[in-house]
Amino acid sequence: MEMAEKKANIDLSGIFPPIPTPFKTDGEDIDYEKLKENFDKWNSKPFKGYVVMGTNGESVYMSESEKISMVVAARRLANKNQLIIAGSGCESTMATINLSNEMAKAGADALLILTPCYFKSGMNTEALYQHYIKVADSIEKPLILYNMPGNTGIDMDSNLVTRLSEHPNIIGLKDSGGDLSKMADIVYKTRDSQFQVLAGSAGFLYPALALGSVGGICALANVLGDEVCRLYELFIGGHMDEAVVLQQKLVEPGQAVTRRYSVPGLKHSLDCNGFYGGPCRSPLRSLNGIAQKEVEQAFIQNGFDLKSL
Amino acid sequence: MEMAEKKANIDLSGIFPPIPTPFKTDGEDIDYEKLKENFDKWNSKPFKGYVVMGTNGESVYMSESEKISMVVAARRLANKNQLIIAGSGCESTMATINLSNEMAKAGADALLILTPCYFKSGMNTEALYQHYIKVADSIEKPLILYNMPGNTGIDMDSNLVTRLSEHPNIIGLKDSGGDLSKMADIVYKTRDSQFQVLAGSAGFLYPALALGSVGGICALANVLGDEVCRLYELFIGGHMDEAVVLQQKLVEPGQAVTRRYSVPGLKHSLDCNGFYGGPCRSPLRSLNGIAQKEVEQAFIQNGFDLKSL
Amino acid sequence: MEMAEKKANIDLSGIFPPIPTPFKTDGEDIDYEKLKENFDKWNSKPFKGYVVMGTNGESVYMSESEKISMVVAARRLANKNQLIIAGSGCESTMATINLSNEMAKAGADALLILTPCYFKSGMNTEALYQHYIKVADSIEKPLILYNMPGNTGIDMDSNLVTRLSEHPNIIGLKDSGGDLSKMADIVYKTRDSQFQVLAGSAGFLYPALALGSVGGICALANVLGDEVCRLYELFIGGHMDEAVVLQQKLVEPGQAVTRRYSVPGLKHSLDCNGFYGGPCRSPLRSLNGIAQKEVEQAFIQNGFDLKSL
Amino acid sequence: MEMAEKKANIDLSGIFPPIPTPFKTDGEDIDYEKLKENFDKWNSKPFKGYVVMGTNGESVYMSESEKISMVVAARRLANKNQLIIAGSGCESTMATINLSNEMAKAGADALLILTPCYFKSGMNTEALYQHYIKVADSIEKPLILYNMPGNTGIDMDSNLVTRLSEHPNIIGLKDSGGDLSKMADIVYKTRDSQFQVLAGSAGFLYPALALGSVGGICALANVLGDEVCRLYELFIGGHMDEAVVLQQKLVEPGQAVTRRYSVPGLKHSLDCNGFYGGPCRSPLRSLNGIAQKEVEQAFIQNGFDLKSL
């Protein structure tokens, strides 16, 4: 493809929930009806857009056609002015390019591409650099880097991200690692290139914004969409004292649906809060009773009522 | 399927090379001609069989149809009396079952199934137990557990393996972690169930055999097939002193083609030794000159001439 | 000792350099003359106080009498109104109590106590809780918790810190782990107890302050004391835009003197910047030429001239 | 000191229990009477000698004078023909030299010296090499390298050990990491230098012997001294089939007193088996009831009766 002279122009500022995939009770068939019901509720919230087929969408458990189908559905169900960011990272460069282009045709506005990670010792700086450059050269929509060391064991450093930010088709980074120093360093080093950094969790959204991030892809926004958006708006409006207190209260609920209980925690929270969570695909298992209570307490003890307990 | 009353009867004792996938120079198309040339050389060695689509086959970079096609090719190219073990582990239980059954139809005698690993916090003992039991219940060929903590970050313990060994369709374990204590413990705990443990590397083949393993799936056997088989035979024949010295000399070459340089190290060693290695798929990269020399020295300094240096 | 009804009253708000121990050229004898020269320069900066015998003081390499002697010297050399915080954590509870009380007699205003860490599997929540409570009950000066997972492999979570914060003699926490979510959570949970959280590195000082920390113990303050204090004052004064930019520029120099090159990096930076760094004690080694250049570049490329290059 | 032309001549072949330090019920005073009672039982077993002030002696919790005193006591209580190996590793090179020489005067025949580990990023190959060479040059008794990555986070590789083995005063290695490949590689590379490798755990004693180790320093030998010595003798006598079965049965008890429950597990096992275990020093805590039962089961289920249950 011919490369634009300057950075592809998509504004990522704001909040994006990385939506889970609703399955029917057998954990296998996608329940598009429940997906529509969830979107009916999400669409009333001031989200900038949605991430489809990220970690929380259980993308590793989805076939290629299911992934495409979820992008199509999300594009159809979201408000017209909202962005659809699709997770298209595969282990191989070629598969990543192919899936990215399929998802772009299906309606994705940008692609969120996780670091390959199976061959850990081989995924050095040069391998990751070449991978992302080849992908960025070969896809028709903008690329957002996705760093998630907790699941992948791979952690891109600020120099690698900065080198990649010079590519006109690489427009941003979602970083879920929570290293705010690195985030500050990246914002500083990419200050002349319109590169946009997104916080990968509600747990550090406020400090990330304070250091120059433009928004967040936050699992917690699926459950507490109004509150996560309000934190963003308090920051934008300069209401720092209120923002800090809200941020502090969002840490525990945020961890309950990510690092602590992962997708089963997210889905249980949705079930408790008027949305459809439902089962995960095997081998992921639903939370047992004790874990369910701990998830619920993480919300309740920080002042967030769960509607259907 | 109907479950046999007793353990499915396949004898895994002996040496299996986990074969790499030969790609043409672009790193994309499978080079079946080179595969045949490699098999022509391998078939003269006393291998018990071959592993296809394991880690060394770059299975994470292969499409489903390519994986099936490689099983078909291996079945056709191997000697009739040799076993074909196919790697069919996917992240989801359902995908693992489907791929296993496709591979069985394509000629696999047994399936080697890696632990799912993306959702690390969710892959607890119960999740892994249910995953393997569901797969074992649903596939038509015997299942071999595959534990590889270095790549997956997941390490099955001896109690989990022992519980799984009671299933009539779970016949063995390949353990690449190198924890010989655990291996000894597993052999002891499964002593009444015909469960077969295979060493996952030539680097600890001899002590594994000494502790009751029945053989090995060793990347190094692709390159030094005669020597790895000779180590096995020295052990079987009771020639312990010779076996120990040969084992000691195989450690460094074994590490060069596994944990140290992974598949690029294996492919370079093949290229140096009269086989076809060729490129890896992107994002894996061929070794640079310094790394190539280090791989070569790991062979030469331990007394193994590389034929085409 | 008799326990006060309410939290011991020491105000930790502000910046503290954790000072290195200057050794003569053999790396063995403490060079008190150079220590005085360093203090002559540090004392003109608006530090709240100094940390003596922290990680950067190479405390693990110091005898008990040397540790006490350094506390005495720091108390004598610092301005009268500045606090002396002394690192007194030992592996055993009893040794920690004894050293803490010796250091208090030698002039320490508060004790900074690292988590014990050698027996990792034994240092569970209850063991750490009992350790800190026993120490807090038995020492005559206030206790500051010290969490440094990078060196210790032990990471206290927010619930443990919150439980400990209820003890009247435990007045604060230095956290060097950089998990800002946890820091926010701790500030929130301890909001009613006058518990004070300090950032353990200049690399995340601004976001830590933004989330409710009261100051920082920052190795970089030894070298760039004015700049680190200015970042604190910009935050206090509400000059957020300037603060963010300064924070971004401090990340790389901060990492060069901590996680990347540790004490040898700190000492080289001091030597380049008009202070005395000198050698580390063996087995720590001075930086080689390449590492020295990288440390220098981390300052220069972010706009900080090193005076004596 | 003047260096001998060839390797110092101490034969390490055989089994050494690394003895725990018995404390009175307060966990503080050393109970020398109980120590004598334990030695009265240990001395009837065919141990090659004893390790004093290793990890299991809670050396990190002992003052320097206590450490010396324990060496004196062990030398006095052990049989005359048994070796006393004393753990003298400190974080600094100078402290290690001083303690080593004090322990040698107190009766130690050799010094077991753990890798320094607090400054992890600084403990690279060259730092560790220089540390050990300086110590070996400066002490009057032979040095045994001690590698224990589980507690230290530092793992010496075979090349570093091989380089160090060339020093005439470095006579051996205790490796507790359990990487048998590395052990085989070290035995091979040091085959011309009389360097002696000791297994650091009963859990892999047999395969270590099979690969050329000369013996073991095994925590389990404190509890099951006859059985661990019998495993050694079965190997020496060429009774491999019996040795393998005994090895398999020793894995779980061995893990119960090391990596799983550490010193509290060891002390509980001693208490159950007619020896004195007693409390650990704080912050280590005695096992709770559930853990006690698990330790006991690890013995009972593998056929080892605990005498005083």
Side-chain angles (χ1 to χ4, degrees):
Chain A
M1 66 170 290
E2 197 174 310
M3 195 56 53
E5 290 298 310
K6 49 179 200 157
K7 193 71 81 190
N9 197 5
I10 295 187
D11 177 5
L12 301 176
S13 57
I15 301 301
F16 299 78
I19 65 169
T21 304
F23 297 110
K24 295 186 180 169
T25 47
D26 63 356
E28 288 304 327
D29 289 328
I30 300 175
D31 192 329
Y32 288 102
E33 207 161 308
K34 296 297 184 189
L35 184 68
K36 183 179 183 313
E37 291 174 22
N38 282 346
F39 263 100
D40 286 346
K41 290 170 189 138
W42 288 328
N43 278 341
S44 68
K45 302 177 196 307
F47 295 139
K48 184 73 169 202
Y50 299 92
V51 168
V52 190
M53 289 298 100
T55 295
N56 291 288
E58 294 173 65
S59 60
V60 293
Y61 297 158
M62 309 282 282
S63 71
E64 191 178 322
S65 62
E66 287 176 323
K67 290 180 183 179
I68 306 289
S69 164
M70 278 294 293
V71 174
V72 169
R75 178 65 285 170
R76 186 169 42 79
L77 294 168
N79 295 319
K80 288 286 169 292
N81 62 334
Q82 288 178 311
L83 295 172
I84 298 297
I85 299 175
S88 62
C90 302
E91 283 287 333
S92 88
T93 307
M94 188 55 70
T96 303
I97 291 169
N98 291 342
L99 182 59
S100 296
N101 283 331
E102 290 297 317
M103 284 178 159
K105 274 182 223 151
D109 299 296
L111 288 315
L112 180 66
I113 299 189
L114 187 69
T115 51
C117 62
Y118 186 73
F119 290 108
K120 298 204 187 318
S121 65
M123 291 303 100
N124 53 33
T125 296
E126 201 53 27
L128 291 169
Y129 179 78
Q130 293 297 343
H131 173 72
Y132 278 115
I133 292 297
K134 278 183 211 164
V135 174
D137 278 347
S138 307
I139 66 177
E140 290 157 35
K141 292 284 181 179
L143 188 165
I144 302 168
L145 305 168
Y146 184 8
N147 192 50
M148 190 168 200
N151 285 43
T152 64
I154 303 287
D155 195 5
M156 288 192 285
D157 68 19
S158 58
N159 287 326
L160 172 57
V161 172
T162 302
R163 282 173 66 201
L164 288 169
S165 76
E166 292 162 14
H167 192 288
N169 203 30
I170 298 179
I171 65 165
L173 165 73
K174 173 191 178 184
D175 199 311
S176 299
D179 181 342
L180 275 287
S181 297
K182 188 171 77 174
M183 216 173 261
D185 194 31
I186 290 169
V187 169
Y188 181 63
K189 286 179 172 161
T190 62
R191 65 193 178 280
D192 298 326
S193 75
Q194 301 172 285
F195 188 74
Q196 301 171 82
V197 176
L198 295 166
S201 164
F204 51 85
L205 176 60
Y206 173 72
L209 293 169
L211 290 165
S213 293
V214 303
I217 297 175
C218 307
L220 188 63
N222 287 296
V223 189
L224 297 181
D226 290 326
E227 291 78 357
V228 176
C229 290
R230 194 170 143 248
L231 176 53
Y232 174 76
E233 284 152 15
L234 286 170
F235 173 80
I236 295 296
H239 306 291
M240 298 307 176
D241 292 350
E242 284 174 81
V244 170
V245 173
L246 180 53
Q247 171 65 82
Q248 291 168 345
K249 295 162 75 172
L250 291 174
V251 170
E252 285 201 320
Q255 291 180 341
V257 303
T258 55
R259 70 164 87 154
R260 193 144 176 220
Y261 290 111
S262 190
V263 185
L266 173 60
K267 288 193 162 177
H268 179 65
S269 306
L270 288 167
D271 283 328
C272 289
N273 208 30
F275 293 89
Y276 180 78
C280 295
R281 273 200 175 159
S282 175
L284 268 186
R285 295 166 63 78
S286 296
L287 299 185
N288 63 27
I290 294 168
Q292 289 183 352
K293 284 287 168 225
E294 290 186 356
V295 168
E296 293 161 19
Q297 287 303 311
F299 284 82
I300 293 168
Q301 292 189 344
N302 287 281
F304 303 105
D305 278 342
L306 287 170
K307 289 167 192 149
S308 63
L309 293 186
Chain B
M1 66 172 290
E2 200 174 308
M3 195 55 54
E5 289 298 311
K6 48 180 202 156
K7 193 71 83 191
N9 197 3
I10 295 187
D11 176 4
L12 302 175
S13 57
I15 301 300
F16 299 79
I19 65 169
T21 305
F23 297 111
K24 295 186 178 168
T25 48
D26 63 355
E28 290 302 330
D29 289 327
I30 299 175
D31 193 329
Y32 288 102
E33 208 161 308
K34 296 296 185 190
L35 185 67
K36 182 180 183 313
E37 291 175 21
N38 282 346
F39 263 99
D40 286 345
K41 290 171 188 137
W42 288 327
N43 279 341
S44 68
K45 301 178 196 308
F47 295 139
K48 183 74 169 200
Y50 298 92
V51 168
V52 190
M53 288 298 100
T55 295
N56 291 288
E58 294 173 67
S59 60
V60 292
Y61 296 159
M62 309 283 282
S63 72
E64 192 177 320
S65 62
E66 288 176 323
K67 290 179 184 180
I68 306 290
S69 163
M70 278 295 292
V71 174
V72 169
R75 179 64 285 169
R76 187 170 41 79
L77 294 168
N79 295 320
K80 288 286 168 288
N81 62 334
Q82 289 178 311
L83 295 172
I84 298 297
I85 299 174
S88 63
C90 303
E91 284 286 333
S92 88
T93 306
M94 189 55 72
T96 301
I97 292 169
N98 292 340
L99 181 59
S100 296
N101 283 330
E102 290 297 318
M103 285 178 158
K105 276 181 220 151
D109 298 297
L111 287 317
L112 180 66
I113 299 190
L114 188 69
T115 52
C117 62
Y118 186 73
F119 290 108
K120 299 205 187 318
S121 65
M123 290 305 100
N124 52 34
T125 296
E126 201 52 26
L128 291 170
Y129 179 78
Q130 293 297 343
H131 172 71
Y132 278 115
I133 293 296
K134 279 183 210 164
V135 174
D137 278 347
S138 307
I139 65 176
E140 291 157 34
K141 293 284 180 178
L143 188 165
I144 302 169
L145 304 168
Y146 184 9
N147 192 50
M148 188 168 201
N151 285 43
T152 64
I154 303 287
D155 195 5
M156 289 193 284
D157 67 19
S158 57
N159 288 325
L160 173 56
V161 172
T162 302
R163 282 173 66 202
L164 289 168
S165 75
E166 292 162 13
H167 192 289
N169 203 27
I170 299 180
I171 64 165
L173 164 74
K174 173 191 178 184
D175 199 312
S176 299
D179 181 343
L180 275 288
S181 297
K182 188 171 75 174
M183 215 172 264
D185 194 31
I186 290 169
V187 170
Y188 180 63
K189 286 178 172 160
T190 62
R191 65 193 178 279
D192 297 326
S193 74
Q194 302 173 284
F195 189 72
Q196 301 171 80
V197 175
L198 294 166
S201 164
F204 50 84
L205 177 60
Y206 173 73
L209 293 169
L211 289 165
S213 294
V214 302
I217 297 175
C218 306
L220 188 62
N222 287 295
V223 189
L224 298 181
D226 290 326
E227 290 79 358
V228 177
C229 290
R230 192 168 145 253
L231 176 54
Y232 174 77
E233 285 151 14
L234 286 170
F235 173 80
I236 296 295
H239 307 290
M240 298 307 174
D241 292 349
E242 283 173 83
V244 171
V245 173
L246 179 54
Q247 172 64 83
Q248 291 169 345
K249 294 162 78 171
L250 291 175
V251 171
E252 284 200 322
Q255 290 180 341
V257 303
T258 55
R259 70 162 86 156
R260 191 143 178 220
Y261 290 110
S262 190
V263 186
L266 173 60
K267 289 194 162 177
H268 179 66
S269 306
L270 287 168
D271 283 329
C272 291
N273 207 30
F275 294 89
Y276 180 78
C280 294
R281 274 200 174 159
S282 176
L284 269 187
R285 296 166 63 76
S286 295
L287 298 185
N288 63 28
I290 294 168
Q292 288 184 351
K293 284 286 167 225
E294 290 186 357
V295 168
E296 294 160 19
Q297 287 303 310
F299 284 82
I300 293 168
Q301 293 189 344
N302 287 283
F304 303 105
D305 278 343
L306 288 168
K307 289 168 192 147
S308 65
L309 292 185
Chain C
M1 66 169 290
E2 199 174 309
M3 195 54 56
E5 291 298 310
K6 48 179 203 159
K7 192 70 82 190
N9 197 3
I10 295 186
D11 176 4
L12 301 175
S13 58
I15 301 301
F16 299 78
I19 65 170
T21 304
F23 297 111
K24 295 187 179 169
T25 48
D26 63 356
E28 288 304 328
D29 289 328
I30 299 175
D31 193 328
Y32 288 101
E33 207 161 309
K34 296 298 185 188
L35 184 68
K36 183 180 183 313
E37 291 174 21
N38 281 347
F39 263 99
D40 286 345
K41 288 169 189 139
W42 288 327
N43 279 342
S44 68
K45 301 179 196 308
F47 294 139
K48 184 73 169 200
Y50 298 93
V51 169
V52 190
M53 288 298 100
T55 296
N56 290 288
E58 293 172 67
S59 59
V60 292
Y61 296 159
M62 308 283 283
S63 72
E64 191 178 321
S65 63
E66 286 176 324
K67 291 179 184 180
I68 307 289
S69 163
M70 278 294 294
V71 174
V72 170
R75 178 64 285 170
R76 185 170 43 79
L77 293 168
N79 295 320
K80 288 287 168 290
N81 63 334
Q82 288 178 312
L83 294 172
I84 299 297
I85 299 174
S88 62
C90 303
E91 283 287 332
S92 88
T93 306
M94 188 56 71
T96 302
I97 291 169
N98 292 341
L99 182 58
S100 296
N101 283 331
E102 290 297 317
M103 284 179 159
K105 276 181 220 150
D109 299 297
L111 287 317
L112 180 66
I113 300 190
L114 188 68
T115 51
C117 62
Y118 186 73
F119 290 107
K120 298 204 189 318
S121 65
M123 292 303 100
N124 53 33
T125 295
E126 201 52 26
L128 291 169
Y129 179 78
Q130 293 297 345
H131 173 72
Y132 277 115
I133 292 297
K134 280 183 210 164
V135 174
D137 278 346
S138 307
I139 66 175
E140 290 157 34
K141 293 284 179 179
L143 188 165
I144 302 168
L145 305 169
Y146 184 7
N147 193 49
M148 189 167 200
N151 286 43
T152 63
I154 303 287
D155 195 5
M156 288 192 284
D157 68 19
S158 57
N159 288 325
L160 172 57
V161 172
T162 302
R163 283 173 66 201
L164 288 169
S165 75
E166 291 162 15
H167 192 288
N169 203 29
I170 298 180
I171 66 165
L173 165 74
K174 173 190 178 185
D175 199 311
S176 298
D179 181 342
L180 275 288
S181 298
K182 188 171 75 174
M183 215 173 263
D185 194 31
I186 289 169
V187 169
Y188 181 63
K189 287 179 172 160
T190 63
R191 65 193 177 279
D192 297 326
S193 74
Q194 302 173 282
F195 189 73
Q196 301 171 82
V197 175
L198 295 166
S201 163
F204 51 83
L205 176 60
Y206 173 73
L209 293 169
L211 289 166
S213 294
V214 303
I217 296 175
C218 307
L220 188 62
N222 287 295
V223 189
L224 298 180
D226 290 326
E227 290 78 359
V228 176
C229 289
R230 191 167 145 254
L231 175 53
Y232 175 76
E233 285 152 14
L234 286 170
F235 172 80
I236 296 296
H239 306 291
M240 299 306 175
D241 293 349
E242 284 173 83
V244 170
V245 173
L246 180 53
Q247 172 64 81
Q248 290 169 346
K249 295 161 75 171
L250 291 175
V251 170
E252 285 200 321
Q255 290 180 341
V257 304
T258 54
R259 71 163 85 156
R260 192 145 176 218
Y261 290 110
S262 189
V263 186
L266 174 61
K267 289 194 162 177
H268 179 66
S269 306
L270 287 167
D271 283 329
C272 289
N273 207 30
F275 293 90
Y276 180 78
C280 295
R281 274 200 173 159
S282 177
L284 269 186
R285 297 167 61 77
S286 296
L287 299 185
N288 63 28
I290 294 168
Q292 288 184 352
K293 284 286 167 226
E294 290 186 357
V295 168
E296 294 160 19
Q297 287 303 310
F299 284 82
I300 294 167
Q301 292 189 345
N302 287 282
F304 303 105
D305 278 343
L306 288 169
K307 289 168 193 147
S308 64
L309 293 186
Chain D
M1 64 171 289
E2 199 174 309
M3 193 57 53
E5 290 298 309
K6 49 181 200 155
K7 192 71 82 190
N9 197 4
I10 295 187
D11 176 4
L12 301 175
S13 57
I15 301 301
F16 300 79
I19 65 169
T21 304
F23 297 110
K24 295 185 180 170
T25 48
D26 62 355
E28 289 302 329
D29 290 328
I30 299 174
D31 193 329
Y32 287 103
E33 208 160 308
K34 295 297 184 189
L35 184 67
K36 182 179 183 316
E37 291 174 22
N38 282 346
F39 263 100
D40 285 346
K41 290 171 189 139
W42 289 327
N43 279 341
S44 67
K45 301 177 197 308
F47 295 139
K48 182 75 170 199
Y50 298 92
V51 169
V52 190
M53 289 298 99
T55 295
N56 290 289
E58 294 172 68
S59 60
V60 293
Y61 296 159
M62 308 283 283
S63 72
E64 191 178 321
S65 61
E66 288 177 322
K67 290 179 185 180
I68 306 290
S69 164
M70 278 294 293
V71 174
V72 169
R75 177 65 286 169
R76 186 168 42 79
L77 294 168
N79 295 320
K80 288 286 169 287
N81 62 336
Q82 288 179 310
L83 294 173
I84 298 297
I85 299 175
S88 63
C90 302
E91 283 287 333
S92 88
T93 306
M94 188 56 70
T96 302
I97 291 169
N98 292 341
L99 182 58
S100 296
N101 283 330
E102 290 296 318
M103 284 178 158
K105 274 181 221 150
D109 298 297
L111 287 317
L112 180 66
I113 299 189
L114 187 68
T115 51
C117 62
Y118 186 73
F119 290 108
K120 299 205 187 316
S121 66
M123 291 305 99
N124 53 34
T125 295
E126 200 52 27
L128 291 170
Y129 179 77
Q130 293 297 343
H131 173 72
Y132 278 115
I133 293 295
K134 278 183 211 163
V135 174
D137 278 346
S138 307
I139 66 176
E140 291 157 34
K141 292 284 180 180
L143 189 166
I144 301 168
L145 305 169
Y146 184 9
N147 192 51
M148 189 167 200
N151 286 42
T152 65
I154 304 286
D155 195 6
M156 290 193 283
D157 68 20
S158 58
N159 288 325
L160 172 56
V161 172
T162 302
R163 282 173 65 201
L164 288 168
S165 76
E166 292 162 15
H167 192 288
N169 203 28
I170 299 180
I171 65 164
L173 164 74
K174 173 191 178 185
D175 199 311
S176 299
D179 181 342
L180 275 287
S181 297
K182 187 171 77 175
M183 216 172 263
D185 194 31
I186 289 170
V187 170
Y188 180 64
K189 286 179 173 161
T190 62
R191 63 192 180 280
D192 298 326
S193 75
Q194 302 172 284
F195 189 74
Q196 300 171 83
V197 176
L198 295 166
S201 164
F204 50 85
L205 176 60
Y206 172 73
L209 293 169
L211 290 165
S213 293
V214 303
I217 298 175
C218 307
L220 188 63
N222 287 293
V223 189
L224 297 181
D226 290 325
E227 290 78 358
V228 176
C229 290
R230 193 168 144 252
L231 176 54
Y232 174 77
E233 286 152 13
L234 286 171
F235 173 80
I236 296 296
H239 307 290
M240 298 308 175
D241 291 350
E242 283 174 82
V244 170
V245 173
L246 180 54
Q247 171 64 82
Q248 291 168 346
K249 294 162 76 171
L250 291 175
V251 170
E252 285 200 322
Q255 290 180 341
V257 303
T258 56
R259 71 163 86 155
R260 192 145 177 219
Y261 290 110
S262 189
V263 185
L266 173 61
K267 289 193 161 177
H268 179 65
S269 306
L270 287 167
D271 283 328
C272 290
N273 208 31
F275 293 90
Y276 180 78
C280 295
R281 273 201 173 158
S282 175
L284 268 186
R285 296 165 64 75
S286 295
L287 299 186
N288 62 28
I290 295 168
Q292 289 183 352
K293 284 286 167 225
E294 290 186 356
V295 167
E296 294 159 20
Q297 287 304 310
F299 284 82
I300 294 168
Q301 292 189 343
N302 287 282
F304 304 105
D305 276 343
L306 287 168
K307 289 165 193 150
S308 65
L309 291 186

